[in-house]
Amino acid sequence: TLIGKGVFSDCMNLSSVKLSKGLTVIPNSAFAYCINLVNITIPDNIEEIGSAAFCGCKSLENITLSKNITAINGGTFAECYSLKAIDIPDGVTIIYEYAFDYCVDLETVKIGKGVKTIQKRSFYNCDYLDNVYYAGGEHDWNLIDIGLFKFGV
């Protein structure tokens, strides 16, 4: 099952989504600016979420990510103003630049132990981000390639 790039972008009245079990990729900008989307569960059959896939989903409060994704691409969840917390699964190895840019209400991030790289500005303009938890140990945390300005500093 395939869906096209930007296929549901700007669907202002879209409030819920159920993804097909045959779908493995959510393409770039697929649900961008669906301003009334509140919750999304990305099932484990999803292996890739494209850049800006949920960018500008201002009402998005709850995201459950597939345990089979390996990256949070650039701008994937940027401008999700209502998001307060995110759990990044252990299978994710990289969080790209601007992945959570302008998630202004984001307070808590739980980072899975598989993360090896957090690019600069991954959490840029997340002014209320106070709680960052890492599933691995201190030694593994110190080995993560953390880009300059990743938390908007």
Side-chain angles (χ1 to χ4, degrees):
T1 305
L2 298 173
I3 59 174
K5 177 181 173 185
V7 69
F8 298 107
S9 184
D10 294 305
C11 288
M12 305 280 181
N13 293 322
L14 185 66
S15 61
S16 67
V17 173
K18 182 172 182 177
L19 299 169
S20 165
K21 291 186 182 201
L23 188 66
T24 58
V25 175
I26 298 173
N28 294 354
S29 305
F31 298 96
Y33 300 99
C34 292
I35 60 172
N36 287 306
L37 186 61
V38 176
N39 301 300
I40 186 72
T41 296
I42 299 171
D44 289 339
N45 50 286
I46 301 295
E47 299 169 358
E48 180 183 342
I49 304 171
S51 296
F54 295 93
C55 178
C57 293
K58 296 177 183 184
S59 300
L60 193 57
E61 295 176 2
N62 300 301
I63 302 167
T64 303
L65 292 172
S66 163
K67 67 180 180 184
N68 292 315
I69 60 171
T70 59
I72 309 288
N73 285 309
T76 299
F77 298 106
E79 300 175 33
C80 291
Y81 301 142
S82 299
L83 184 65
K84 293 197 180 305
I86 187 73
D87 289 349
I88 298 171
D90 288 340
V92 171
T93 59
I94 185 167
I95 303 169
Y96 284 96
E97 191 170 19
Y98 300 111
F100 295 94
D101 185 32
Y102 278 102
C103 290
V104 294
D105 281 347
L106 187 63
E107 298 173 355
T108 302
V109 175
K110 295 179 182 175
I111 299 173
K113 61 186 174 186
V115 171
K116 304 289 182 233
T117 304
I118 301 173
Q119 288 191 339
K120 66 180 180 178
R121 297 184 179 99
S122 296
F123 296 93
Y124 196 62
N125 296 306
C126 296
D127 295 339
Y128 293 102
L129 182 56
D130 288 329
N131 305 298
V132 178
Y133 302 99
Y134 175 62
E138 183 178 352
H139 174 75
D140 293 328
W141 175 257
N142 291 330
L143 294 176
I144 294 175
D145 179 14
I146 299 179
L148 187 63
F149 304 119
K150 85 269 175 212
F151 295 110
V153 178

